Amino acid sequence: MKRALIVAGDPSGDIIASQLVQSMKKLEPGLSVVGLGGENLKRVSDHFLVNIVSQHALGFAITPRQIFYFRRILNEVLIPELKKNPPDVVIPVDFYGFNSRVAKIAKKMGHKVFYYVSPQFWASRPYRAENLRPYVDLFLCLFPFELDFYNERGLPAQFVGHPIIDRLPLISQDTHKEPGSAPLIGLLPGSRPEEIRRHLPLMTSASAIVAASYPRARFILFTVPHVSPAYYLKILRTENGKNIPLELVQDENFQRRAQLDLAITASGMETLENTLLGIPMVVMYKTNWVTYGVARLLIRIPFLAMPNLLSGKRIVPELIQLGATPRAIAAPLLQWLKDPASYRALRQELLSLRGRMGAIGATDRAARTILEQVA
């Protein structure tokens, strides 16, 4: 294989796509990669088209302006590139709304299509998987239960495991850890500016409640590279964040995250990362009411947080919309701090879920599968 085109539209997909490119180039020296995504993909691509991750598009909440933007990218950037420099394979990564169209366009033009980080059809609108049947040669699944979903429908799929396993430090279930009277608590408000604006004030207010009972508690706000520190500081200056000992950290290697005793986490990839690091957490999410109403109608799964999905039961609290209040967020944290036995039990249960995520080397397995199938 000589040429691949890979497309990612959100921050986590951008990271995963860049890792896949590195693995593919390691296995196939001389491979030329065209990227359409974010800064991570840009760094590893031989030719980069446009940064679409900077649009911060978010599922149901995509705006009319963003719709027109992505339509223009398809018509004026992607289609001309496919015609001018036909790739051996097109690899959409997650980001269903845009990448489903990428897959259809590429397949109609005669290209092989491998969908990496297969969309979460099992969570919402499963009929969309059938819609992609004619356009995707293979779905590459990160979770084992996703493979069951595709197999039941006779769709081509392969479980390769989750690439996050390769990035996270391995935490042994035998490791003894208790927060004590000076707990280290992480705040993870999400990766998009709109999520951060809605979540961070609630998180800092909840932290102030915890700090009132545990004055020695310390707090870390985990920031993301594509959002300016000034954006976080502007929110913190007007909220309770100024009343707690709060450190802002970018932690791409998870070394600081692994030190946490507890976390307040927006629903998303961070819940899986915390699970594999054994961090007891409160999961919360708040969005505008229109988006929430649409989501309630379409989502067909009992839980949002990944540890609850993986275990099939509610093992960490999920506080959504009106339920996400500072007192409701603080209450489980205070309970775990007062009851070390329940804290230890939850930590052990979280760490036990790592075995369901597949062995290390997930990214290399995905790269090898694509290269072999194309060859």
Side-chain angles (χ1 to χ4, degrees):
M1 186 167 74
K2 296 181 179 180
R3 188 178 184 86
L5 187 147
I6 186 165
V7 183
D10 58 64
S12 61
D14 184 49
I15 292 172
I16 290 173
S18 67
Q19 295 169 339
L20 180 66
V21 169
Q22 290 174 303
S23 288
M24 290 177 70
K25 287 190 170 188
K26 178 179 66 177
L27 295 169
E28 185 82 9
L31 176 67
S32 177
V33 174
V34 178
L36 177 62
E39 290 300 316
N40 291 287
L41 191 51
K42 182 178 182 179
R43 282 194 289 268
V44 298
S45 296
D46 299 284
H47 176 51
F48 187 76
L49 299 174
V50 180
N51 186 333
I52 59 174
V53 173
S54 62
Q55 290 294 304
H56 303 296
L58 179 59
F60 302 121
I62 191 168
T63 66
R65 182 191 63 79
Q66 290 171 327
I67 291 173
F68 284 114
Y69 169 84
F70 285 112
R71 184 177 296 172
R72 182 177 64 80
I73 294 298
L74 285 172
N75 293 328
E76 300 180 13
V77 177
L78 181 76
I79 292 176
E81 175 64 26
L82 290 172
K83 289 179 178 178
K84 182 180 178 182
N85 301 299
D88 297 297
V89 63
V90 174
I91 309 168
V93 179
D94 204 358
F95 206 56
Y96 172 82
F98 182 74
N99 271 335
S100 61
R101 290 164 175 80
V102 171
K104 291 177 183 179
I105 291 168
K107 179 54 67 174
K108 286 180 179 179
M109 295 175 69
H111 304 294
K112 289 183 179 292
V113 177
F114 292 79
Y115 211 128
Y116 187 40
V117 189
S118 56
Q120 295 180 344
F121 300 129
W122 42 269
S124 169
R125 294 166 288 174
Y127 63 84
R128 296 178 300 165
E130 189 62 37
N131 292 342
L132 282 181
R133 182 186 293 272
Y135 308 110
V136 175
D137 293 279
L138 186 68
F139 293 96
L140 299 171
C141 305
L142 306 192
F143 300 101
F145 58 81
E146 291 179 322
L147 184 60
D148 296 335
F149 172 90
Y150 288 106
N151 285 342
E152 288 170 3
R153 289 159 177 79
L155 289 163
Q158 185 167 325
F159 170 59
V160 293
H162 204 295
I164 196 64
I165 291 287
D166 299 335
R167 298 179 57 217
L168 288 170
L170 178 62
I171 309 295
S172 170
Q173 283 186 257
D174 298 327
T175 303
H176 179 75
K177 183 178 177 67
E178 287 185 10
S181 60
L184 183 61
I185 301 174
L187 310 184
L188 297 101
S191 60
R192 296 174 175 87
E194 177 65 17
E195 292 176 316
I196 296 165
R197 182 181 67 80
R198 291 181 183 274
H199 296 158
L200 186 53
L202 291 168
M203 291 181 171
T204 54
S205 296
S207 299
I209 294 172
V210 174
S213 297
Y214 290 84
R216 294 175 59 203
R218 295 169 295 138
F219 301 87
I220 296 179
L221 170 57
F222 290 88
T223 64
V224 291
H226 54 275
V227 176
S228 165
Y231 185 82
Y232 294 93
L233 293 172
K234 181 179 179 181
I235 297 172
L236 292 172
R237 278 195 294 268
T238 59
E239 302 294 340
N240 286 335
K242 59 188 177 185
N243 299 323
I244 59 174
L246 185 64
E247 179 186 2
L248 274 67
V249 168
Q250 273 191 27
D251 184 38
E252 295 184 15
N253 62 7
F254 296 95
Q255 293 305 308
R256 294 299 301 276
R257 183 100 69 93
Q259 298 170 3
L260 293 179
D261 296 303
L262 296 163
I264 308 171
T265 307
S267 176
M269 174 67 77
E270 295 87 352
T271 67
L272 176 60
E273 295 163 351
N274 289 348
T275 297
L276 302 179
L277 292 170
I279 303 169
M281 72 193 101
V282 177
V283 179
M284 53 86 64
Y285 204 85
K286 198 160 190 174
T287 186
N288 68 69
W289 281 102
V290 173
T291 300
Y292 176 72
V294 173
R296 279 293 298 263
L297 289 172
L298 296 177
I299 292 178
R300 291 289 181 265
I301 51 175
F303 309 114
L304 294 179
M306 192 52 70
N308 296 341
L309 281 169
L310 287 171
S311 62
K313 61 182 179 178
R314 189 182 300 273
I315 62 174
V316 301
E318 295 184 7
L319 302 172
I320 310 300
Q321 213 64 0
L322 289 177
T325 67
R327 290 195 177 278
I329 295 168
L333 302 175
L334 291 169
Q335 177 60 36
W336 291 324
L337 290 172
K338 293 174 184 175
D339 184 359
S342 67
Y343 173 88
R344 288 194 302 270
L346 176 55
R347 177 175 161 80
Q348 291 297 311
E349 190 165 10
L350 291 170
L351 288 173
S352 72
L353 296 174
R354 188 175 185 125
R356 304 188 186 184
M357 301 303 298
I360 60 171
T363 305
D364 283 346
R365 282 195 296 277
R368 189 173 294 108
T369 296
I370 293 170
L371 292 169
E372 289 176 352
Q373 292 279 343
V374 173

